[in-house]
Amino acid sequence: MARSATYVAGVDSSTQATKVLVVDPADGSVIREARRPHPDGTEVDPRAWWDALAGALGEVGTDDVAAIGVAGQQHGMVLLDEAGQPVRDALLWNDTRSAPDARALIDELGGAEAWAEAVGTVPVASITATKLRWTAQHEPENAARARSVMLPHDWLTWRLAGAPAEPTTDRGDASGTGYWSTVTGEYRPDLLEMAFGRGLSVPRVASPGEVVGRTSDGLAVSAGTGDNAGAALAIGPAAGEVVISIGTSGAVFTGHDQPSTDASGLVAGFADARGGYLPLVCTLNAARVLGAGATLLGVDPEGFDELARAASPGADGLVLLPYLDGERTPDRPDAQGRYVGLTTTNATRENLARATVEGMLCGLADAVDALVDQGVPARRALLIGGGSRSGAVAALAPDILGLPVEVLSPQEYVALGAARQAAWALHGEEPGWTVARETTRDVTDASVSEQVRARYADVRDGRAR
């Protein structure tokens, strides 16, 4: 029976926590919200996510909620047995034990280009297929018990809907598995079997705006999606706008009308939650670089911003390569960060802070370039995430990126995107919400991007002396 209720709920089940927003479907305004933490680690019992979701929903209340959607951390492997119980803890996107398996799978299909053409993405350790291979090779008893595989948001959506016989996923999250193709819009069971050694049951890919089930108390359940697709659904970047998410790690993405097939592996050719495509570049080093710089200089974030803005563009020749804990784009898992060009003349706190911000932004600018190389237009950057709140980042970004920059209002965009999808499922059409854009800054000196990025590229590519 349909519920007579006012609001919709959106869930962000991230690596760190479950966040729930109760949202007015008329305008996207947030009515209530709650948060519950997740256990630390790179492998987690998925039942901990369910407990966190139940706690957060209990806090916000759902008596006036008519529909719910879940967006979750991508790529995580949830293996279930014949009874629908987890056979082991879920391996998360940030678990890197399957890196050798990624290389093996690339070779077995005939190289990176073969993978890009097959599914749109070249496997790395985060991709679900590589985790299946690792499990088959290292835990044969668990592999033998497995009958189906889901992603984190699939499993939560399935549980919300009462564990129906036919689980569902969406194309946005499925495109991060390595066995669903953005090129054909279909599963590639041959690639799943190549990874795992045999077939597994996978969720049906639901359409955008579909109601896939109902909760025990009657809430309509939407298909859900992956976290980045959820954020993109909330923001709705226009053609030529690229979203730069500056969290602990960084993500650069936008909607596109064609699938990406980047054999270099820099651009992941994901699908979005609307029926289009979401080419995406992920960097490991974003806001964590700013935090490390502030710690190094012994200042708080505000003091760090002041130091960085007090120095001249280019930090008098000092350059930071910001690969503090390795890097994914480019693929340098064993790299370390380093300052290059330090002299007695430029050895000031201000220049160290400025070089830190510029180095992080140059890494994100490389990600934008990778999208452009795949035919994605980039005429404006939209900044979100904790790092976007830095005054130094907002001030320096336009000249480093060479693009006008808009800083979006602080918001739980992944959960808001899930709520938008729930409203779409409830009413049969996508809402027309827009998000607030707080700060707009234009490029003031185009030569800064050319000069600073040229020095950065010399360091990145090993040409600096």
Side-chain angles (χ1 to χ4, degrees), residues 133-169:
R133 168 60 65 87
W134 184 91
T135 304
Q137 295 284 346
H138 295 274
E139 297 180 348
E141 292 184 0
N142 284 335
R145 293 170 51 214
R147 293 294 179 269
S148 63
V149 60
M150 297 186 193
L151 299 166
H153 115 261
D154 305 342
W155 187 80
L156 289 168
T157 300
W158 178 67
R159 290 287 306 267
L160 278 171
E166 184 181 56
T168 57
T169 187

Side-chain angles (χ1 to χ4, degrees), residues 14 31 95 112 155 269 343 420 441:
S14 72
I31 307 302
D95 191 291
W155 187 80
T343 68
R420 185 186 191 106
R441 295 178 184 267

Side-chain angles (χ1 to χ4, degrees), residues 271-338:
D272 70 7
R274 282 191 171 92
Y277 303 94
L278 192 76
L280 179 145
V281 182
C282 179
T283 70
L284 293 182
N285 296 282
R288 72 174 74 192
V289 178
L290 306 179
T295 300
L296 182 67
L297 293 167
V299 294
D300 61 17
E302 291 75 19
F304 180 77
D305 279 354
E306 289 179 10
L307 289 170
R309 297 177 73 172
S312 300
D316 290 336
L318 183 61
V319 176
L320 171 67
L321 188 70
Y323 304 161
L324 303 191
D325 297 306
E327 185 48 82
R328 176 172 170 176
T329 307
D331 186 19
R332 300 182 187 178
D334 300 320
Q336 296 177 328
R338 63 183 188 274

Side-chain angles (χ1 to χ4, degrees), residues 29 47 95 97 119 128 156 213 260 278 293 355 423:
S29 59
R47 287 167 288 211
D95 191 291
R97 71 186 72 182
V119 296
T128 319
L156 289 168
S260 297
L278 192 76

Side-chain angles (χ1 to χ4, degrees), residues 44-51 78 80 86 88-90 155-156 159:
V44 173
D45 186 334
R47 287 167 288 211
W49 306 330
W50 179 254
D51 291 343
V78 183
L80 304 177
R88 70 170 329 279
D89 288 351
W155 187 80
L156 289 168
R159 290 287 306 267

Side-chain angles (χ1 to χ4, degrees), residues 347-388:
T348 68
R349 289 158 56 82
E350 291 81 1
N351 282 330
L352 281 167
R354 181 89 181 202
T356 301
V357 177
E358 289 181 345
M360 184 206 72
L361 287 170
C362 283
L364 293 170
D366 282 350
V368 174
D369 286 350
L371 288 183
V372 172
D373 288 344
Q374 289 297 302
V376 178
R379 293 185 287 272
R380 182 178 299 273
L382 310 180
L383 302 191
I384 63 172
S388 71

